[in-house]
Amino acid sequence: MEDIEDLLAGGGGAGVPPGFRLPVAGAVGVNPKQKKEKITHTIPKASLSIPGTQTIYMKTFGCSHNQSDSEYMGGQLSAFGYVLSDDPDEADLWLINTCTVKSPSQSAMNTLITKCRSAKKPLVVAGCVPQGSRDLKELEGVSIVGVQQIDRVVEVVEETLKGHEVRLLTRRTLPALDLPKVRKNKFVEILPINVGCLGACTYCKTKHARGHLGSYTVESLMGRVRAVIADGVKEIWLSSEDTGAYGRDIGVNLPILLNAIVAVLPSDGSTMLRIGMTNPPYILEHLKEIAHVLCHPCVYSFLHVPVQSGSDSILTAMKREYTVSEFRTVVDTLIELVPGMQIATDIICGFPGETDEDFARTVDLIREYKFAQVHISQFYPRPGTLAARMKKVPSTVVKKRSRELTTVFESFVPYVGMEGKVERIWITEFATDGVHLVGHTKGYIQVLVIGPETMLGLSPMAKITSVGRWSVFGEVIEVLNQANAVERGVDQFSHCSSLDSSCSKEQRACEMTSCCGQVQEVEKKVSTPKYEAKLNLVGWVLRKRKSNSRIMEKGSAMEFEGNQNKAQNCLLEWSTVDKGLLGGVLVSLLTILALSLYLGTRSF
């Protein structure tokens, strides 16, 4: 079956609302540009009852961008009455959203397709596999939704349920961001800011599927952010194939977008922003600006920056467009400028041409930085990529190197020293053990706590009780609401978005700690000698008097009501410090007066 695209009379499909139910004759057919005989594949038919009454089983493979696409497709199907189910047996149709990054993911897709056919269920395949490899044998007779056609999934599902094969793969515009959405986690919004990338990595199949860079406008993304905040979302994940490349096709850049988003985040820190994966070449140009945003109290101090190899020769073979030295610059700068900065990275073991020396450099790099998160992958040649034609490293060597690097990585204990610390955490989900709740610190360190389900979506203070290899354990000591979050000084640091890059590391660290609700650091900052030296004597006395009066006013209400005259006397009492200061001022004035009289007498 040829691709079926824009089949309304006159071609083009422009102006068709997302999910518009096209007539059968208009929705199914052959691309008019192809002068081939029409071929019809018969798919086992589900019940031909009213559209929108069937049950859909959805399975998603791959990255957060894929997850977001599935949530959008699920939202549209739900809006048209379809029921989403996690049980494939009770479903009338299966919808599989695929990933083409690694061979195992595609193998899992093939297994699922085989099961679907054995169960004689209608099938729709979406995602990167059909988009990047449309002629796969496994996809014969299967309806397909392309990565930029997710806003037409309802059409594809309805026609597939009627026994037709539909393929929508070609489009030049991005799907709208305001489509209905069913989130896997109602507290987390995965927001795609662009699709595709500017790179040409020799091993990457995703570029074949997602294509060249295409960015959403700042205005459309801002609109989505405002909408999801109003909807109760507590975490916003910016997602794309390369976050750092955002906006280069439309004349803006990532710092412009980030500053626009943080400006509308709630000042009480109830909704956090997580910046997605970015490759080194594009973040290098904006390191200080990105570090500045990562210091903001409503932005996780966390970034995923893949390095892939510690060898420049391998990075060149991969066409990664940066050197190990440049990667180090990114990491070192962020760690220096952002208090509590956490960085995750990726490594590919056994890339074609990788020698023992190349691999040793990679091991040394990981040992040096002791990253808390490292995603280690064995090289898998992807069909159609340049690397697939390169001379391969023996599979036994690849597996050995993968095991060795994993052992090195797991020898680190990154969270030692956190015991006893009090951190503000953001809780968004249950742990897989079904007992703990999962929260994250501002550095996006996973904290497991025990608490009621009602704590989901909240941002409490937690004391770290113990640490593990992959996460830490804590106990909730105080649940913050908007009122006491503001009282703790969270909103006082909304000026973080305008901090001068020349601020000292100590100043930023102080402000960051305070943003997390620990106002003790704020008080220390105010009482430093440098600050006190700037105050004049009279101003200090007035502040002291005002402070004493405020303390007195907060005394026992019953005591003040019992003896109002006594309360007034208390407010007028002079402390020893006050008396000493006043005496000093009077002595100084008398001395000056005496000197003036003496000098005046001598002159006369």
Side-chain angles (χ1 to χ4, degrees):
M1 184 56 126
E2 300 297 328
D3 293 350
I4 301 173
E5 180 60 39
D6 299 329
L7 297 173
L8 292 176
V16 178
F20 181 75
R21 290 191 172 111
L22 299 174
V24 174
V28 181
V30 178
N31 190 322
K33 294 180 181 179
Q34 301 292 335
K35 296 183 179 180
K36 294 183 179 180
E37 183 179 355
K38 180 178 178 179
I39 304 172
T40 302
H41 293 279
T42 301
I43 298 177
K45 294 184 179 181
S47 172
L48 295 178
S49 57
I50 299 174
T53 61
Q54 293 84 4
T55 300
I56 311 295
Y57 166 70
M58 293 185 64
K59 176 66 176 179
T60 304
F61 296 95
C63 65
S64 61
H65 198 160
N66 258 24
Q67 181 63 50
S68 178
D69 287 350
S70 290
E71 291 176 353
Y72 273 124
M73 289 190 286
Q76 293 168 86
L77 291 168
S78 294
F80 275 85
Y82 292 95
V83 176
L84 304 180
S85 173
D86 293 329
D87 185 354
D89 295 328
E90 72 174 12
D92 299 305
L93 177 142
W94 290 14
L95 173 57
I96 306 173
N97 194 1
T98 61
C99 173
T100 191
V101 172
K102 300 178 184 178
S103 296
S105 297
Q106 188 162 328
S107 297
M109 176 206 74
N110 295 338
T111 300
L112 205 55
I113 289 176
T114 301
K115 288 183 179 179
C116 185
R117 284 176 167 155
S118 299
K120 298 184 178 180
K121 304 275 189 179
L123 174 64
V124 175
V125 176
C128 293
V129 172
Q131 188 75 59
S133 305
R134 5 188 129 182
D135 298 326
L136 280 178
K137 182 179 180 181
E138 291 80 3
L139 298 177
E140 291 181 1
V142 173
S143 288
I144 290 174
V145 180
V147 294
Q148 292 186 26
Q149 296 281 16
I150 59 173
D151 55 350
R152 297 180 66 181
V153 65
V154 174
E155 303 169 43
V156 177
V157 165
E158 290 188 352
E159 297 305 323
T160 303
L161 285 167
K162 294 174 184 177
H164 303 131
E165 178 192 349
V166 182
R167 293 195 169 200
L168 301 180
L169 287 167
T170 306
R171 188 179 189 173
R172 295 184 179 180
T173 58
L174 299 175
L177 291 171
D178 58 356
L179 297 170
K181 197 171 192 182
V182 175
R183 299 186 190 92
K184 183 178 180 181
N185 184 332
K186 69 177 182 178
F187 298 111
V188 177
E189 167 73 7
I190 304 172
L191 180 60
I193 62 173
N194 56 264
V195 299
C197 68
L198 296 174
C201 300
T202 56
Y203 58 84
C204 183
K205 185 72 173 176
T206 305
K207 180 67 177 279
H208 296 186
R210 296 282 182 179
H212 198 66
L213 180 68
S215 302
Y216 286 97
T217 64
V218 173
E219 293 74 18
S220 63
L221 291 165
M222 290 286 291
R224 183 66 183 178
V225 168
R226 290 189 181 96
V228 301
I229 291 174
D231 200 29
V233 162
K234 301 304 178 184
E235 284 188 5
I236 299 173
W237 298 359
L238 302 187
S239 178
S240 77
E241 281 63 58
D242 187 355
T243 304
Y246 168 79
R248 288 171 177 262
D249 56 321
I250 57 174
V252 293
N253 57 42
L254 184 60
I256 291 174
L257 173 65
L258 295 179
N259 283 311
I261 291 177
V262 298
V264 300
L265 295 177
S267 60
D268 62 357
S270 57
T271 301
M272 295 293 287
L273 180 69
R274 193 185 85 172
I275 304 174
M277 184 273 290
T278 178
N279 287 311
Y282 306 110
I283 193 176
L284 272 167
E285 298 179 24
H286 309 291
L287 266 183
K288 287 188 177 180
E289 295 95 328
I290 299 297
H292 178 66
V293 173
L294 289 166
C295 284
H296 192 280
C298 298
V299 181
Y300 284 122
S301 305
F302 169 83
L303 200 60
H304 178 191
V305 187
V307 63
Q308 305 299 9
S309 175
S311 166
D312 282 340
S313 62
I314 296 301
L315 292 178
T316 300
M318 292 178 173
K319 289 191 176 179
R320 290 291 290 168
E321 300 179 345
Y322 59 86
T323 64
V324 176
S325 176
E326 288 171 328
F327 172 79
R328 288 176 180 274
T329 298
V330 171
V331 175
D332 293 342
T333 303
L334 293 179
I335 290 176
E336 178 186 359
L337 297 180
V338 184
M341 184 69 196
Q342 296 287 316
I343 293 176
T345 194
D346 299 345
I347 296 292
I348 297 176
C349 290
F351 188 82
E354 183 184 66
T355 64
D356 289 340
E357 291 76 15
D358 294 325
F359 178 68
R361 293 188 182 97
T362 300
V363 173
D364 290 342
L365 183 72
I366 300 303
R367 274 205 180 104
E368 177 182 349
Y369 284 99
K370 293 181 171 59
F371 297 107
Q373 297 183 41
V374 180
H375 309 119
I376 301 170
S377 301
Q378 298 177 30
F379 171 74
Y380 292 101
R382 305 300 295 129
T385 63
L386 291 174
R389 299 195 294 269
M390 298 178 182
K391 185 177 180 180
K392 299 176 183 60
V393 176
S395 59
T396 53
V397 176
V398 176
K399 292 177 181 178
K400 178 184 176 182
R401 290 175 180 172
S402 177
R403 287 193 298 268
E404 180 181 340
L405 188 58
T406 300
T407 300
V408 170
F409 166 61
E410 292 181 350
S411 69
F412 308 148
V413 188
Y415 307 128
V416 167
M418 289 191 67
E419 299 96 328
K421 288 188 176 181
V422 175
E423 299 270 356
R424 186 178 182 184
I425 64 173
W426 287 263
I427 300 176
T428 56
E429 61 183 328
F430 273 108
T432 54
D433 62 8
V435 175
H436 291 86
L437 299 174
V438 179
H440 291 92
T441 68
K442 189 179 185 302
Y444 211 67
I445 298 171
Q446 183 173 268
V447 183
L448 302 179
V449 298
I450 295 179
E453 186 175 354
T454 54
M455 202 172 286
L456 290 170
L458 299 182
S459 176
M461 302 298 295
K463 182 177 181 180
I464 308 303
T465 56
S466 62
V467 301
R469 175 58 185 84
W470 313 108
S471 57
V472 301
F473 294 84
E475 60 180 12
V476 173
I477 60 175
E478 182 182 0
V479 177
L480 301 179
N481 55 34
Q482 184 174 9
N484 60 20
V486 170
E487 182 181 349
R488 283 180 172 272
V490 176
D491 68 336
Q492 297 176 16
F493 296 90
S494 58
H495 71 281
C496 286
S497 60
S498 60
L499 283 174
D500 191 283
S501 60
S502 62
C503 290
S504 69
K505 186 176 180 181
E506 290 74 21
Q507 286 175 312
R508 287 192 297 271
C510 176
E511 285 157 357
M512 189 54 57
T513 306
S514 304
C515 293
C516 296
Q518 298 178 8
V519 297
Q520 293 87 349
E521 292 296 324
V522 183
E523 294 167 355
K524 290 177 183 178
K525 181 180 178 182
V526 172
S527 64
T528 56
K530 181 179 179 181
Y531 185 87
E532 291 175 355
K534 295 180 180 179
L535 301 178
N536 60 62
L537 184 60
V538 176
W540 194 93
V541 171
L542 292 175
R543 282 184 172 86
K544 180 72 176 176
R545 296 290 304 148
K546 186 175 180 181
S547 177
N548 286 342
S549 298
R550 190 159 47 238
I551 293 171
M552 293 299 180
E553 289 171 352
K554 291 182 179 180
S556 169
M558 293 178 62
E559 183 178 344
F560 282 115
E561 288 178 4
N563 193 342
Q564 187 172 359
N565 291 331
K566 183 179 178 180
Q568 291 174 348
N569 292 334
C570 287
L571 289 173
L572 295 174
E573 284 180 3
W574 289 84
S575 69
T576 303
V577 176
D578 289 337
K579 293 175 181 177
L581 286 171
L582 184 58
V585 171
L586 291 174
V587 169
S588 299
L589 289 173
L590 290 173
T591 302
I592 293 171
L593 182 59
L595 281 172
S596 299
L597 290 172
Y598 173 73
L599 293 173
T601 302
R602 290 193 61 180
S603 299
F604 179 78

